[in-house]
Amino acid sequence: MNYKKITALLAVLSMILTFTACQRAEVDDLSTPLTEAFVEYTTPGLSAEIGASPVEEKEITGDIIIIYTNDVHCGINDGLGYSGVSAIRKKMLEKTPYVTLVDVGDHLQGDTIGAVSKGAYIVQIMNKVGYDIASLGNHEFDYGLKALNSNMMSAKYQYVDCNVKYTGSGNNPFFGMKPYELVEYGDRKVAFIGVDTPETVTSTNPANLKEDEKTVIDFSAKSSTEFYETVQRSIDECREAGADYVILLAHMGIEPVREEFGSTALIANTEGVDVILDSHSHSFICSDYLTDKNGDLVIRSSTGTKLQSVGELLITPEGNLTTTLITSFPEKDMEVQAFIDRIEDAYESETGIAIGNTDYDLLITDPDGVRMVRNRETNLGDLCADAYRTVLGAQIGWTNGGGVRDNIPAGVITYGDILRVSPFGMELSLISAKGQHILDALEMASMKTEKEYRSSDGKSVGETGSFAQVSGLIYTVNTKVKSSVVLDNDGSFVEVSGDRRVKDVYLENADGSLEEIDPEKYYTVAISKFISHSGGDGMNMFLDDEVILDACDIDYNVIMKYITENLGGNIPEQYEMPAGRITVE
């Protein structure tokens, strides 16, 4: 195979900063195993996941530095914070004029600051930090096309995406967006190509992609072949335009619902890419190597989520490429921090209003911070589902785990806490759902569930945003049975073709008695329109069920009503632990 060389990075360790460097250059001896040719340097006794930039240690002449972030999800002060990102950028600019700051999607949504402004505050902050280029993530669509257009028009940085296009007859929400951006650094040229996951059609509210009930956003993914060819065209155009290096800003992820729409498959089916900066799966990847269509090696890196690290791609004049994840940096840009503080002050007077109290942590994670809400029952999932069922007067309350976004710590519960839990502002409806549709929905929601919810290295496994947190239902997932759910090209439900892994599904009546769900009977279900009306997360089985109350309230309003009116402002002891509605065996 035509392998590109791999060399080790020469590192000078600072007394203050520690770094992990992941470099790729050329392999002179093709018999050398990749794992031996790929070297990581760390200060003895410190974790390899602690890093800082080698730019801090040496003078740079002619080097190109790409600073990258991904899956920030409104984490403006989390991790290194945006003030840290700005400080890193300014430090790099002291060493070389060739610095570009990019983001790889999912920056507008994820916390109160995004929810209250529909992403506008985040754009203002990214403008202040000095971002140059950003690609779209699926959650950039969460506030609808008008809000997305407003945010893109307000951005001083350039949005890029090669596989997203508008097919409607109105105003193009992507006016001004480019498939790629070519940046010249002296006599060298670097191409930045944006790619968004085709799974956006089910991982944002599908209604956000529609005009007059018609879907008007095309992700160039009627087939995987169409998707790969679309990306390849942009790669070829960039090479023909003289790009020395091609970088994909790819909101794809390493564990997609459909394997062919992940970053590994994208690289395997294209050629001409040097680096893929990945996101969507919140992966922490300093550097790994993928093999492209021609057998050439492509660097992949991803910074995790909520600014737990900031990435640095270094391109030397000799053509060596190195990726580094910076997880510790002592400086902050206090001008940027003051700007952030002023924005927070503007909305916290409202979001700080107390609505209740809890003596217990209400969680979507385990005590170690490993997310559980997308593969296990949690006490906060119970609370949200109970709120839906009780306030809307349903037999069953149903919320997808991907819609329950943050913990509520013990103590005073504020309006802002609830917005962080439910930042999407999803409309709820009351439907009459056929029992068979409920059984099919549980089957799809549990299709990835594994016997253990976390791996040995402390990462959540078997997750899916459609995992069902329920009220009024009890069910068991038998992980020994392989899922036989069949999906279409969009990742939407088609059928269950074999044995079912979900069993013992019971309705819990008001008197506590249990009644097995009858496939032919109908049950009232309080559920978000994201699922019932739009088939979100591919859950299209309820689309033809009768709607009793349409868009009767907003999810965060319902949760607040439940806490203030039904619970009297105090979370009772029953929510100290999950109620035992879901068994995984």
Side-chain angles (χ1 to χ4, degrees), residues 419-559:
L419 285 178
R420 280 186 287 273
V421 170
S422 300
F424 304 124
M426 293 189 295
E427 294 178 317
L428 301 184
S429 290
L430 182 65
I431 66 172
S432 177
K434 190 174 183 179
Q436 185 63 60
H437 298 164
I438 292 171
L439 298 175
D440 289 343
L442 290 174
E443 198 69 28
M444 183 170 177
S446 305
M447 62 186 296
K448 286 194 171 184
T449 307
E450 299 181 16
K451 185 174 182 180
E452 301 297 332
Y453 72 89
R454 57 183 288 175
S455 61
S456 58
D457 58 353
K459 295 182 179 180
S460 188
V461 297
E463 290 191 297
T464 176
S466 62
F467 186 81
Q469 301 288 333
V470 295
S471 175
L473 274 183
I474 294 175
Y475 68 94
T476 296
V477 183
N478 181 2
T479 60
K480 294 179 181 179
V481 177
K482 184 178 179 180
S483 175
S484 60
V485 170
V486 178
L487 306 178
D488 65 15
N489 288 336
D490 291 330
S492 294
F493 178 82
V494 175
E495 64 177 346
V496 180
S497 63
D499 293 339
R500 292 177 177 261
R501 56 187 353 221
V502 177
K503 63 179 185 178
D504 301 332
V505 184
Y506 294 97
L507 176 73
E508 185 175 15
N509 293 309
D511 61 4
S513 63
L514 299 180
E515 172 188 338
E516 189 170 5
I517 292 291
D518 184 338
E520 298 303 318
K521 287 184 63 175
Y522 285 82
Y523 305 86
T524 55
V525 181
I527 193 168
S528 74
K529 289 183 65 175
F530 169 68
I531 298 174
S532 64
H533 287 50
S534 302
D537 285 334
M539 304 280 282
N540 59 10
M541 55 285 295
F542 299 119
L543 293 180
D544 294 328
D545 284 329
E546 179 189 357
V547 177
I548 301 171
L549 295 174
D550 188 16
C552 50
D553 213 330
I554 304 297
D555 53 1
Y556 54 75
N557 283 338
V558 167
I559 296 170

Side-chain angles (χ1 to χ4, degrees), residues 82 103-109 118-120 122-124 126-127 131-137 139-141 147-162 173-181 192-195 249:
Y82 275 127
D103 185 86
V104 197
D106 277 8
H107 42 269
L108 297 180
Q109 171 276 341
K118 294 187 176 180
I122 300 301
V123 173
Q124 293 175 30
M126 291 176 68
N127 285 341
Y131 275 85
D132 298 294
I133 303 170
S135 61
L136 295 174
H139 288 299
E140 264 62 73
F141 293 87
L148 176 57
N149 174 255
S150 176
N151 287 324
M152 294 177 72
M153 296 299 290
S154 299
K156 295 179 180 179
Y157 48 91
Q158 177 64 53
Y159 273 101
V160 293
D161 210 304
C162 73
F174 305 122
F175 178 80
M177 188 174 76
K178 300 178 181 180
Y180 50 80
E181 181 82 334
F192 298 88
I193 303 174
V195 186
L249 307 182

